Amino acid sequence: MQISNAEEITGFFKALSNITRLKIVAELAKNDKCVSDVENIIGTRQANISQHLAVLKKYGVVDCRRDGNMRCYFLRQPEVVKNVLWLLGKKE
Amino acid sequence: MQISNAEEITGFFKALSNITRLKIVAELAKNDKCVSDVENIIGTRQANISQHLAVLKKYGVVDCRRDGNMRCYFLRQPEVVKNVLWLLGKKE
DNA sequence: ATCTGATATTAACGTTTTCGTATATTCTTT
DNA sequence: AAAGAATATACGAAAACGTTAATATCAGAT
């Protein structure tokens, strides 16, 4: 097992190491969502959701596009994320 | 995508979100190793390696067995770990 | 019983995360 | 232009993390 891009990989893990961000990512795995959608589902303050989305974006897990005055967030590598979560869900 | 055991999953990510621990895990994916083996390969002080191994153990990523006065560490779910790392290695 | 090698634990300290509050930005509508 | 809705950013306090150095533990050999 060779780890070439270790920084990138630890970044991915860091991004998903917070329970709120994990929930956000699990939601985005279903479909793209704007910030207020996420806010309603997760039940956390808007500013905090935005902060977590910024972290996820910083580590390359998500990206977003404008849609009116909303921003629509989506997974950059949906299949990778889904497979990883599936593997861990199956764990023991 | 349903996340039932979110705590456990974020724990796994937290465990692997540090570059030293990622390296340790990548080494253990090759074969089991005692602390001094890891120390030599990673090139970090013994105390630090032990601490990181303790974190990995706390989050259920590794476990260990005694072998004389050494401790032999190994991955608890080698296939899960290998598959996750493989997926991320293939990213983009 | 003591010494030694291997590993673990603890304390201290600087750095990073997390989350709240407040404020700013940007687009849309009027 | 002004107001309102949606989102982002700034800042500060508390908690968590990472590293080093020092010390403790524990199994095996003498």
Side-chain angles (χ1 to χ4, degrees):
Chain A
M1 181 72 47
Q2 295 269 48
I3 299 295
S4 50
N5 45 351
E7 294 280 354
E8 192 184 336
I9 294 181
T10 54
F12 178 88
F13 288 134
K14 195 167 295 189
L16 296 198
S17 68
N18 171 280
I19 202 153
T20 300
R21 289 197 294 271
L22 180 66
K23 287 180 187 168
I24 292 173
V25 165
E27 284 304 320
L28 295 183
K30 296 179 189 165
N31 47 41
D32 303 357
K33 290 188 172 63
C34 70
V35 178
S36 58
D37 291 337
V38 176
E39 190 186 346
N40 291 328
I41 293 170
I42 308 289
T44 305
R45 290 159 217 283
Q46 176 269 318
N48 198 3
I49 296 290
S50 275
Q51 286 164 343
H52 283 305
L53 285 168
V55 173
L56 289 170
K57 194 174 175 189
K58 168 182 165 192
Y59 289 117
V61 178
V62 307
D63 204 347
C64 68
R65 58 172 170 275
R66 289 210 99 98
D67 177 16
N69 61 355
M70 308 196 215
R71 294 212 185 181
C72 197
Y73 282 82
F74 54 90
L75 297 179
R76 284 185 60 184
Q77 315 270 340
E79 291 313 313
V80 171
V81 171
K82 287 179 193 173
N83 283 328
V84 168
L85 292 183
W86 180 81
L87 275 169
L88 294 177
K90 292 300 162 198
K91 217 157 63 91
E92 76 216 275
Chain B
M1 182 71 47
Q2 295 269 50
I3 298 295
S4 50
N5 46 349
E7 293 280 354
E8 192 186 336
I9 294 180
T10 53
F12 178 87
F13 288 133
K14 197 167 294 190
L16 296 197
S17 68
N18 172 279
I19 201 152
T20 299
R21 291 196 294 269
L22 180 65
K23 287 179 187 170
I24 293 175
V25 166
E27 283 305 318
L28 295 183
K30 296 179 190 165
N31 47 42
D32 304 358
K33 290 188 172 64
C34 71
V35 179
S36 58
D37 291 336
V38 176
E39 190 186 346
N40 291 329
I41 292 170
I42 308 290
T44 305
R45 288 160 218 284
Q46 176 270 318
N48 198 3
I49 296 289
S50 275
Q51 286 162 340
H52 283 304
L53 284 167
V55 173
L56 289 169
K57 194 173 174 189
K58 167 182 167 193
Y59 289 118
V61 178
V62 308
D63 204 347
C64 69
R65 58 173 170 277
R66 289 211 98 97
D67 177 16
N69 61 354
M70 310 197 214
R71 293 209 187 183
C72 197
Y73 281 82
F74 53 91
L75 297 179
R76 285 184 59 184
Q77 314 271 340
E79 291 313 313
V80 171
V81 170
K82 286 179 195 174
N83 283 328
V84 169
L85 292 183
W86 180 82
L87 275 169
L88 294 178
K90 292 300 162 197
K91 215 155 66 84
E92 83 214 83

